[in-house]
Amino acid sequence: MKKLSIFAVTIAALAFTACGGNKNQQATEQTEEKSFEQEQVEAKVKMEIDSLSAEIGKLKKLPFLQTTDNGFKLTDQEKQAKPDYLLDVAAVENATTLAEKYRLVSALSVDKSIAALYDMPVDDYQNAIAKLLADINDPSFKDIQDAANIYDAGQKLYDGMNQNGRINYFWQMTGATIVEEIFAMSQNIDKFITAFDDESASNVTYRVVLLSDAVKRLSEYDPEFEPVAKAVDALSPLNAMSVNELKSQLLEAKEKIAEARAALLK
């Protein structure tokens, strides 16, 4: 029911957009009236992305990244084949804009979790994330004890960034997280897919739908969303409702997913 309802919300929102924002407004329309109309649109979009964030917050981590006692594990033999697709922490030196730095915080947090799966050292990831956080200087992170908690922050982080006027950057981070997770899956499909059942596989689709919906809305107001929008568009072939469908779609879209990740995390 959740998936059906979000598709319905998306269609309804698009219909709202089509009905509003007439480009042929009278030249004599007063500036203050335009400002008021813009404020109303932004308020509506804000309400909608709040709802989308709440939906994403209800979803569990992807199964291969869950760290509970009964979570996903690699055998000692599997740990010997270290992943060669994780981001180089030196990427932080090339990040210049706030959007790039926020995206790297999320992506490196995902890669840090994957490195830990393989018993790889994580200090370099921790230090790189800490450097990015110092550069970003976002008061929204004040209640997070260390960088390791960023990946689990969820609604608490959203609320903080909302209060501090940085809600757009929350979605930059969310986009980078989802793209990096799906990229990692596509690089080790046979192993990571074993952690999924049909419900968790369909939730990958649901994540992409929620993210796509939020990014479409915010792209109208923030040009920095263009890289995220392009990356999310590359994930659009993922509409699996079962493990078998997800595996097949990851194989088919592997190249596009890699391109999306490269474009998002230069």
Side-chain angles (χ1 to χ4, degrees):
M1 288 298 294
K2 288 196 302 182
K3 298 175 186 60
L4 291 174
S5 64
I6 196 62
F7 280 112
V9 168
T10 303
I11 292 170
L14 290 174
F16 169 83
T17 303
C19 292
N22 185 356
K23 294 181 180 179
N24 296 318
Q25 292 173 326
Q26 295 292 332
T28 57
E29 185 175 13
Q30 295 182 3
T31 301
E32 58 268 25
E33 291 175 341
K34 289 182 181 179
S35 299
F36 178 78
E37 180 184 1
Q38 183 76 358
E39 288 175 3
Q40 298 308 302
V41 172
E42 290 174 351
K44 186 178 191 303
V45 169
K46 176 63 171 55
M47 181 177 64
E48 290 164 348
I49 63 170
D50 284 351
S51 177
L52 294 171
S53 173
E55 284 296 307
I56 284 182
K58 294 175 185 176
L59 299 174
K60 295 180 181 178
K61 280 186 183 180
L62 296 185
F64 72 98
L65 291 171
Q66 293 179 13
T67 56
T68 61
D69 291 339
N70 296 323
F72 180 79
K73 300 286 193 306
L74 295 171
T75 67
D76 290 340
Q77 183 177 359
E78 288 168 338
K79 291 177 182 178
Q80 298 306 308
K82 306 299 185 187
D84 60 0
Y85 51 83
L86 302 182
L87 285 166
D88 187 339
V89 295
V92 302
E93 303 300 333
N94 299 321
T96 55
T97 69
L98 270 179
E100 290 170 346
K101 291 177 181 182
Y102 273 104
R103 293 198 296 264
L104 271 175
V105 165
S106 286
L108 288 172
S109 296
V110 173
D111 285 3
K112 177 173 173 281
S113 296
I114 295 172
L117 272 179
Y118 287 85
D119 292 337
M120 296 167 62
V122 297
D123 287 350
D124 285 348
Y125 289 99
Q126 188 75 14
N127 293 336
I129 292 168
K131 181 183 185 306
L132 287 168
L133 290 179
D135 290 346
I136 289 170
N137 191 27
D138 186 343
S140 308
F141 295 114
K142 67 181 183 300
D143 294 328
I144 298 173
Q145 296 301 311
D146 56 43
N149 289 336
I150 290 174
Y151 192 36
D152 302 314
Q155 192 64 37
K156 187 174 184 179
L157 182 59
Y158 182 85
D159 292 341
M161 295 182 78
N162 186 13
Q163 292 172 7
N164 289 298
R166 296 200 180 191
I167 202 63
N168 283 15
Y169 292 118
F170 174 88
W171 288 102
Q172 294 272 0
M173 294 178 69
T174 301
T177 296
I178 292 175
V179 169
E180 189 68 4
E181 289 173 340
I182 292 176
F183 170 76
M185 290 171 60
S186 73
Q187 297 299 302
N188 194 1
I189 298 172
D190 288 340
K191 182 57 189 177
F192 288 155
I193 203 70
T194 63
F196 286 78
D197 56 20
D198 287 348
E199 180 179 3
S200 54
S202 68
N203 278 338
V204 174
T205 297
Y206 193 40
R207 276 176 168 81
V208 173
V209 170
L210 292 170
L211 176 62
S212 177
D213 198 356
V215 168
K216 283 178 182 177
R217 300 171 196 280
L218 291 169
S219 293
E220 297 180 17
Y221 302 97
D222 188 349
E224 285 189 303
F225 267 94
E226 183 178 356
V228 185
K230 289 182 177 178
V232 173
D233 186 61
L235 302 182
S236 59
L238 301 179
N239 58 7
M241 292 294 119
S242 69
V243 174
N244 288 338
E245 287 180 351
L246 179 60
K247 182 176 181 179
S248 175
Q249 290 172 9
L250 286 171
L251 285 167
E252 291 177 4
K254 184 175 180 179
E255 186 175 336
K256 281 189 173 182
I257 293 169
E259 291 173 356
R261 190 252 204 165
L264 190 61
L265 302 167
K266 295 178 182 178

